[in-house]
């Protein structure tokens, strides 16, 4: 797939980049995408939820009513789960939600997500650029020139750039990441994918390895 290279003013540079079909043109595997996104969201969970069980409630252990003859439940002390304010039965406990996923499955998921974006025409390649000082206003103007404003945009760089990262930090609809930070969830969550020229090469090298 051949894509024209744009500059930060949104103009064509006259150069083109060929996106490797082995990364951007495969038959997407929806199940691999599901597993990778599921793992990403699971790893973000803190798992610190906790409710008090019967033994952890502070209350008297005196038996409230006799065992038989009341016609009601055989409840014990005031900490019983059947009582208002009592302990919770099988309540949530702190746990780790993370799980293992094979590298090949994760790579397949990323290639599938990128292939979906390429198929939808949501990928744009821009020449490498930087901002000398962080300026959100200037970054917004660049997005507007690239017709990527007003929608979720993911800018992928080959290496970290503080000027661009800080310029986009206050924008809810724009995110700047480096190639190692790129994952399936972020690719699918963005409406437009902006790839720097050097990032394209790095992505292809990483996913074909």
């Amino acid at each position: 797939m051949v894509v024209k290279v744009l500059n930060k003013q949104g103009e064509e540079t006259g150069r083109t980049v060929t996106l490797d079909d082995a990364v951007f043109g495969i038959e997407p595997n929806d199940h691999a995408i599901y597993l990778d996104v599921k793992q990403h969201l699971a790893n973000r969970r803190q798992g610190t939820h906790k409710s008090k069980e019967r033994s952890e409630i502070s209350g008297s252990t005196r038996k409230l009513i006799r065992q038989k003859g009341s016609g009601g439940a055989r409840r014990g002390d005031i900490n019983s789960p059947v009582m208002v304010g009592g302990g919770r039965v099988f309540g949530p406990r702190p746990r780790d939600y993370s799980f293992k996923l094979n590298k090949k499955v994760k790579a397949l998921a990323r290639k599938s997500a990128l292939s979906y974006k390429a198929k939808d025409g949501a990928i744009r390649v821009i020449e490498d650029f930087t901002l000398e000082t962080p300026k959100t206003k200037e970054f917004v103007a660049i997005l507007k020139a690239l017709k990527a404003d007003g929608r979720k945009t993911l800018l992928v760089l080959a290496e970290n750039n503080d000027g661009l990262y800080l310029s986009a930090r206050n924008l809810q609809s724009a995110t700047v990441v480096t190639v190692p930070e790129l994952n399936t969830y972020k690719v699918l969550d963005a409406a437009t994918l902006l790839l720097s020229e050097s990032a394209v090469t790095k992505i292809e090298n990483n996913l074909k390895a």
Side-chain angles (χ1 to χ4, degrees), residues 99-181:
F99 62 93
K100 182 181 180 299
L101 195 62
N102 292 337
K103 288 183 179 180
K104 288 186 178 180
V105 176
K106 294 171 75 71
L108 176 60
R110 284 162 171 72
K111 289 188 285 188
S112 297
L114 290 170
S115 296
Y116 268 128
K117 291 299 179 183
K119 184 178 180 181
D120 295 339
I123 294 180
R124 293 172 194 164
V125 179
I126 56 177
E127 63 180 2
D128 295 343
F129 71 98
T130 185
L131 297 179
E132 296 181 1
T133 56
K135 286 188 179 296
T136 302
K137 187 176 181 180
E138 187 175 347
F139 189 82
V140 171
I142 293 173
L143 293 181
K144 189 173 182 179
L146 294 168
K147 297 180 181 179
D149 58 323
R151 53 194 315 189
K152 280 192 174 182
T153 303
L154 183 67
L155 173 59
V156 184
L157 306 175
E159 54 188 27
N160 188 43
N161 186 300
D162 289 337
L164 291 173
Y165 172 76
L166 294 174
S167 297
R169 187 168 58 175
N170 287 337
L171 299 175
Q172 291 185 343
S173 60
T175 306
V176 177
V177 298
T178 57
V179 173
E181 297 171 327

Side-chain angles (χ1 to χ4, degrees), residues 25-71:
I26 70 168
E27 181 64 31
N29 187 310
D30 291 339
H31 187 61
I33 291 176
Y34 160 74
L35 291 175
D36 198 14
V37 171
K38 180 181 178 181
Q39 187 201 41
H40 174 76
L41 296 177
N43 290 344
R44 286 170 50 174
R45 297 187 68 172
Q46 289 183 315
T48 55
H49 40 40
K50 178 70 174 73
S51 66
K52 288 187 177 182
E53 298 180 356
R54 182 170 185 165
S55 63
E56 299 170 314
I57 297 293
S58 178
S60 172
T61 57
R62 178 179 67 87
K63 188 172 176 62
L64 298 177
I65 60 173
R66 59 183 180 170
Q67 179 76 356
K68 292 178 177 292
S70 68

